[in-house]
Amino acid sequence: MEAIGAGRVWAPWPELMAGHRPVLVAPFDPSRPADPAQGWTGPGTVWEVRRDWAAAFDGTRLLVTRPDGAAWYDGPVAAAREWTRALRAHQALTLATGAFHTPFDFPTAAAQGRLSVLTVPARLLDTHTH
């Protein structure tokens, strides 16, 4: 029997930080690098919004683009209404990735300071047609 999560990359998931700030938690995936040269920071640093990145959420799909316009993440996000409202209110999204592979590994990685973070401008897209 295969262990839960073995051999697969877990999809990112939405979380809310203190102050209702929206976060996308993204387990390690080599296709989603966290290069310090592109603004990723570690624990104990000030998180500033990186205007050369962008995020857009349409209620089901999130697109996060790097400074070169390439997608860092483009896929579904099962976000609750509260997360979506927080994204609209803050107009920024913090990305958190690092040395963890499943949601069960995340608390340990965070406690041990093994996360890279980046805050990007974010907008909520209106998908209703008038």
Side-chain angles (χ1 to χ4, degrees):
M1 181 175 180
E2 183 179 21
I4 294 176
R8 79 176 194 118
V9 175
W10 283 70
W13 69 89
E15 292 280 346
L16 286 173
M17 292 187 336
H20 275 64
R21 296 198 176 271
V23 178
L24 181 72
V25 180
F28 175 78
D29 180 340
S31 71
R32 293 190 300 258
D35 184 354
Q38 291 187 335
W40 289 88
T41 61
T45 56
V46 176
W47 301 350
E48 295 181 13
V49 176
R50 289 294 304 234
R51 301 276 173 211
D52 51 347
W53 285 70
F57 183 59
D58 70 3
T60 58
R61 180 176 160 260
L62 176 68
L63 173 62
V64 177
T65 53
R66 296 185 264 236
D68 64 4
W72 183 84
Y73 178 74
D74 184 2
V77 172
R81 184 176 297 160
E82 186 177 13
W83 189 87
T84 302
R85 285 180 180 156
L87 187 71
R88 178 182 285 126
H90 290 281
Q91 298 181 352
L93 174 65
T94 297
L95 310 172
T97 191
F100 61 97
H101 297 278
T102 72
F104 309 107
D105 303 332
F106 176 68
T108 302
Q112 293 176 351
R114 295 184 288 128
L115 298 180
S116 293
V117 296
L118 179 76
T119 301
V120 304
R123 60 192 172 101
L124 192 59
L125 302 176
D126 182 7
T127 59
H128 297 93
T129 56
H130 300 285

